[in-house]
Amino acid sequence: MPQTRNAYPLLGLLNLRSWSTYELAQQVQRSLHWFWPTAERRLYDEPKLLVELGLAEATEEFTGRRARREYRITRAGRRALRLWINEPSAPRTCEFEALAKVFFADAGSIHQLESVIDGIAAESIDRIKQLGEMLEAEAPFPKRAHVSVLAMQLQLEQEEGVLHWSQWARTQIKQWRSTKDPGDWPTEALRAELAARAHPRAPGE
Amino acid sequence: MPQTRNAYPLLGLLNLRSWSTYELAQQVQRSLHWFWPTAERRLYDEPKLLVELGLAEATEEFTGRRARREYRITRAGRRALRLWINEPSAPRTCEFEALAKVFFADAGSIHQLESVIDGIAAESIDRIKQLGEMLEAEAPFPKRAHVSVLAMQLQLEQEEGVLHWSQWARTQIKQWRSTKDPGDWPTEALRAELAARAHPRAPGE
DNA sequence: GCCATATACTGCATGTTGCAGTATATGAGG
DNA sequence: CCTCATATACTGCAACATGCAGTATATGGC
């Protein structure tokens, strides 16, 4: 079966309709990218690999002299897609450079930390806006609205969570003397509160 | 300045103390991996690149005949780290195979979807547990507890968000006839609710 | 006609990953 | 003491992913 990381997500899109490569690239940017980021460069080679494996078919079409490859899923492709759902999923990973900067904030100044946090806020506001636009636009696949809404619920909540955290963090660091000295900020109490949340215990325990 | 993606996060760790490569690899797994996932294989080459750039220094030490390289940050390294904090951060990305499966759930069955969601729940429970253990263990860098707690607040909240979503999603799909037919599930009302959340409007607007 | 942008790609150097392997040290158990 | 599993400490390498720059043709506005 497919060896590359993008094979199944791409089969997922091909299962919705046929696409030209350029259209695929655009659709990946619009929807898949939120939870399956990949370089556009790959999107021109990967469908060809699917064709080699019999999971997709390609036709070449022309606009004047400009060629375009259009891909369509095969029955074997649909079957592979269905089986993929059964397989254990890879652990979730998140690449968050700004949070790394927060984690190493004591290497810089409070002003720098403020900027980083503001950047985090701005990004989540922008992503929430983008999600909003997608939710309000005419749905490209109306019959799939229910699964789309199910997934977007999580996407939106994650973005809201990041935004709320950034607002909270902004208020908290105001109490710090410096990035190296939190002054009277209740570090220990917050640590204990987080620990309790991570280990829910019965009242008597 | 450094060309590789791991340079600055590694400098961040080197700024805390000196490390052998193996120790670095372990520490990356413990802390950085949550928001800066990288392959262990890289951790043996990258510090050498930092040394070449004058951002770190290495000493070779021995346990009997077994060699070990220990790395320590330089002043230039500290400066580079501080400047990194000022640079625009790369957009956050999240690789979530299970959510991709949810997104393409209509290619499979309700039972498959239930399994995927249960897997999501199990993973977040495990990660919350791990965070709890970290919060309760003796802090490796007590003087940095405040920045650590600040970052972990976001980590924990994201995990809780995923867990809550999975619980909610589990109740919702119970109402679906199939992954292709949500029956009377209020798709449109939920879509509208999400849209409203994504576009906060004043009451008169 | 010109030009900016869209559509539709590809070559390629560089960076990243996963895996399998090597070498030495350590400690438990027989 | 010996054996063996695991830890410590790496490296080689094939395959894959990425970013970037480039090419070619189509489109539409001025």
Side-chain angles (χ1 to χ4, degrees):
Chain A
M1 278 290 86
Q3 300 285 90
T4 65
R5 59 187 286 277
N6 296 308
Y8 292 113
L10 283 186
L11 277 177
L13 287 184
L14 286 169
N15 192 39
L16 308 187
R17 50 163 278 211
S18 66
W19 311 85
S20 75
T21 331
Y22 188 81
E23 285 169 343
L24 256 187
Q26 286 190 307
Q27 184 63 17
V28 164
Q29 199 61 31
R30 261 193 305 265
S31 60
L32 266 200
H33 210 76
W34 289 88
F35 41 79
W36 199 259
T38 199
E40 186 186 302
R41 182 64 189 75
R42 291 304 309 151
L43 301 177
Y44 287 92
D45 294 340
E46 300 253 12
K48 292 181 206 169
L49 301 179
L50 294 181
V51 172
E52 281 170 30
L53 293 169
L55 306 181
E57 294 172 335
T59 51
E60 189 156 57
E61 301 175 359
F62 289 85
T63 309
R65 288 169 52 220
R66 188 170 64 184
R68 181 181 68 247
R69 225 170 324 239
E70 181 126 347
Y71 294 93
R72 154 189 20 275
I73 197 170
T74 60
R75 181 176 298 178
R78 265 185 249 282
R79 206 179 307 127
L81 176 61
R82 193 179 180 97
L83 291 177
W84 168 58
I85 299 176
N86 273 336
E87 287 164 32
S89 307
R92 176 174 24 111
T93 68
C94 188
E95 195 169 300
F96 199 166
E97 188 180 24
L99 187 54
K101 287 177 180 178
V102 170
F103 187 67
F104 295 123
D106 53 323
S109 69
I110 277 277
H111 288 307
Q112 284 179 304
L113 178 56
E114 285 168 345
S115 272
V116 170
I117 294 172
D118 290 346
I120 291 172
E123 187 186 47
S124 58
I125 287 168
D126 186 57
R127 291 162 74 111
I128 288 169
K129 187 176 169 221
Q130 282 175 57
L131 286 170
E133 282 161 7
M134 280 159 65
L135 284 157
E136 294 190 345
E138 190 174 331
F141 302 102
K143 293 199 177 161
R144 307 185 68 250
H146 57 294
V147 285
S148 185
V149 163
L150 196 68
M152 280 169 99
Q153 174 81 12
L154 180 54
Q155 284 164 253
L156 183 59
E157 278 180 12
Q158 294 285 92
E159 297 305 327
E160 285 172 340
V162 172
L163 179 58
H164 294 158
W165 172 86
S166 65
Q167 289 161 348
W168 171 84
R170 228 12 190 98
T171 62
Q172 299 304 306
I173 63 173
K174 272 187 169 45
Q175 302 165 46
W176 292 4
R177 291 230 181 86
S178 73
T179 55
K180 287 186 175 26
D181 174 9
D184 293 326
W185 193 62
T187 306
E188 177 53 29
L190 285 166
R191 186 205 60 77
E193 184 202 319
L194 291 187
R197 273 161 66 184
H199 283 283
R201 290 181 192 273
E205 222 168 10
Chain B
M1 277 287 94
Q3 300 286 89
T4 64
R5 61 187 287 276
N6 297 306
Y8 292 113
L10 283 186
L11 277 178
L13 288 184
L14 286 170
N15 192 41
L16 308 187
R17 51 162 278 212
S18 65
W19 311 84
S20 75
T21 332
Y22 189 81
E23 285 170 341
L24 256 187
Q26 288 190 306
Q27 183 63 18
V28 164
Q29 199 62 28
R30 259 190 310 261
S31 60
L32 265 199
H33 211 75
W34 289 87
F35 40 80
W36 199 258
T38 199
E40 186 185 306
R41 181 65 189 77
R42 292 304 309 151
L43 301 177
Y44 287 93
D45 294 339
E46 301 255 11
K48 291 182 208 166
L49 301 178
L50 293 180
V51 170
E52 279 170 30
L53 292 169
L55 306 180
E57 292 172 334
T59 51
E60 189 156 57
E61 299 174 0
F62 290 85
T63 308
R65 290 170 48 219
R66 187 171 61 185
R68 179 179 72 248
R69 227 171 324 240
E70 180 126 345
Y71 293 93
R72 157 189 18 274
I73 198 170
T74 60
R75 183 176 297 179
R78 266 187 249 281
R79 207 180 303 127
L81 176 60
R82 195 180 177 94
L83 291 177
W84 168 57
I85 299 177
N86 272 336
E87 288 164 31
S89 306
R92 178 178 18 115
T93 68
C94 190
E95 195 168 301
F96 199 165
E97 190 180 21
L99 186 54
K101 289 178 180 177
V102 170
F103 186 69
F104 295 123
D106 53 323
S109 69
I110 277 277
H111 289 308
Q112 283 179 305
L113 178 56
E114 284 168 348
S115 273
V116 169
I117 294 172
D118 290 346
I120 291 172
E123 187 185 49
S124 58
I125 286 168
D126 187 59
R127 289 160 74 109
I128 289 168
K129 185 174 169 223
Q130 281 175 56
L131 286 171
E133 281 160 6
M134 280 157 68
L135 283 158
E136 294 190 347
E138 189 173 332
F141 302 103
K143 293 199 175 158
R144 305 186 67 251
H146 58 294
V147 285
S148 185
V149 163
L150 195 69
M152 282 170 96
Q153 173 81 14
L154 179 54
Q155 285 164 252
L156 183 59
E157 277 180 12
Q158 293 286 90
E159 296 303 328
E160 285 172 338
V162 173
L163 180 57
H164 294 157
W165 172 86
S166 66
Q167 289 161 348
W168 171 84
R170 225 18 187 96
T171 62
Q172 300 303 306
I173 63 173
K174 273 187 171 42
Q175 302 165 45
W176 292 4
R177 291 230 182 83
S178 75
T179 56
K180 288 185 171 32
D181 174 8
D184 292 327
W185 194 62
T187 305
E188 176 53 29
L190 286 165
R191 186 205 61 78
E193 184 201 320
L194 291 187
R197 274 161 67 184
H199 283 283
R201 293 182 189 270
E205 220 166 11

